[in-house]
Amino acid sequence: MMKQILLTAAILAMGIAPAFGQKHVQNDKNNGATKKERRISIDRERERPVRVQLYAGLGASNATLLSQGFKFESEKGLLSPTAGVNVLIPIDRHTLFFSPGLSYNQRGIRFVSQTPGVGVTTMRTPIHTLSGNLLIGTSLGDGEFRLRFSCGLYGGYAIAGSTIMKVSKGDGNVEVHETDVFKGNNLEVLPLPGFDRVKPLPVLKRFDLGTRVTWNFELGNHYNLSFTFDHSILNQSNDETVKLYHRSAFTTIGYTF
C-alpha cells in the first residue's frame, strides 16, 4: 500500500514539475517583455519628433557706436531680462535640429559719467523688443544629459524705448529726464524757401536684425540651462553720422516638453 502511494506521488510530481517550470519561465519572459516595453516607451518619450522649450532669465546688454571714424562702447552693461519659447524640430532625429522661436528681450546701453561742478550723470536706454529667431544646431548626449549648440539669425521689433538721464548733483538734488527714442522731437524743422516742412526722425529705428548663438545644457530630459549671445548687424541709428549696433548676453533656465 505504501509503495503504491509513493509511486502515485512520484508520478504526480513528475507531471506537475514541468508545468510549474514552464509557467515560471513564461512569467520571466513576460517580466522581461514588460521591462523592454517600458524601456522602449521611455526612449520614445525622450526622442519625441518635436519638442517645445520655455525659458526665462537675465543678462547684460550693451552697444557699439561708430562716429566719424571713432568707436565708443559703454563701460557697464544694462541689466536686461528675457523670456521666450523655442521649438526643437529634429532633422536627422539624433544630432541635427532646426529651431524657430519667439522671445521678449530688453536691449540698451548704460553710461555713467562725472562732471566737475555738475555731478554724476547716469544714462540708460531700455528698449523693449519682440524677436523671432531661426536657428540650426547640433545635439550631443543621451536623454539624461544633452549638450546643444545652435546659431542663426534673429529679427526684432522694438515696441517701446526711452532714454532716462539721471543727474545727481553735489547738493543732493537729483534731476531725471526721460525721452522716447522712437517719437523724435516734438519740434518740426522750419522749411527753407522752396522746401517742404521737415519732421525730425526718431533717434533709433524700431527694426533690428542680428546673429544669435546659444549653448544649451539639458538635464533629466527636461531641465535646461542656456547661454545666449546676440549681436545686431543692422545699424539702428537714424543719425547719418552715427552707427549703432546692439549686443546682448543672456543666462536662462527653462523646461522642455
Side-chain angles (χ1 to χ4, degrees), residues 15-233:
I16 293 174
F20 178 79
Q22 184 177 0
K23 183 177 180 180
H24 184 71
V25 171
Q26 186 66 32
N27 288 337
D28 289 342
K29 289 182 178 180
N30 290 338
N31 290 335
T34 302
K35 292 179 180 178
K36 185 176 181 180
E37 290 173 357
R38 188 180 298 114
R39 179 63 184 177
I40 292 174
S41 176
I42 294 174
D43 291 342
R44 287 177 179 175
E45 178 74 12
R46 290 174 175 173
E47 297 182 2
R48 286 191 296 267
V50 177
R51 305 186 69 190
V52 178
Q53 181 187 84
L54 303 177
Y55 64 89
L58 287 173
S61 182
N62 211 322
T64 300
L65 290 85
L66 304 174
S67 178
Q68 299 177 353
F70 294 96
K71 180 178 180 181
F72 303 93
E73 294 184 359
S74 60
E75 296 179 355
K76 297 183 178 181
L78 178 68
L79 184 64
S80 302
T82 185
V85 55
N86 282 324
V87 180
L88 306 178
I89 305 173
I91 297 176
D92 64 355
R93 195 174 176 82
H94 293 290
T95 57
L96 296 178
F97 64 89
F98 175 68
S99 180
L102 295 173
S103 62
Y104 158 78
N105 311 98
Q106 180 179 286
R107 308 185 190 281
I109 56 178
R110 178 171 180 258
F111 285 99
V112 179
S113 62
Q114 184 170 2
T115 305
V118 177
V120 178
T121 300
T122 302
M123 186 186 73
R124 300 184 297 114
T125 61
I127 299 172
H128 307 280
T129 305
L130 296 179
S131 301
N133 62 256
L134 293 174
L135 309 178
I136 187 169
T138 183
S139 175
L140 300 174
D142 56 18
E144 295 299 327
F145 176 81
R146 287 184 183 273
L147 170 62
R148 296 187 180 95
F149 170 78
S150 56
C151 60
L153 297 175
Y154 75 85
Y157 180 80
I159 56 176
S162 59
T163 298
I164 303 171
M165 183 177 295
K166 183 171 69 173
V167 181
S168 302
K169 297 185 177 181
D171 57 4
N173 292 328
V174 178
E175 295 182 359
V176 179
H177 307 276
E178 184 171 354
T179 304
D180 193 318
V181 297
F182 297 113
K183 287 186 177 179
N185 297 323
N186 295 324
L187 300 177
E188 293 185 345
V189 179
L190 295 178
L192 296 174
F195 291 88
D196 296 330
R197 183 180 294 271
V198 178
K199 186 174 182 180
L201 293 172
V203 176
L204 298 179
K205 302 171 184 176
R206 289 186 180 270
F207 290 97
D208 185 21
L209 178 67
T211 59
R212 175 168 295 178
V213 178
T214 298
W215 292 267
N216 173 262
F217 301 89
E218 183 177 292
L219 302 174
N221 197 44
H222 292 292
Y223 305 99
N224 295 268
L225 174 65
S226 299
F227 303 96
T228 301
F229 180 76
D230 291 350
H231 198 298
S232 63
I233 57 178

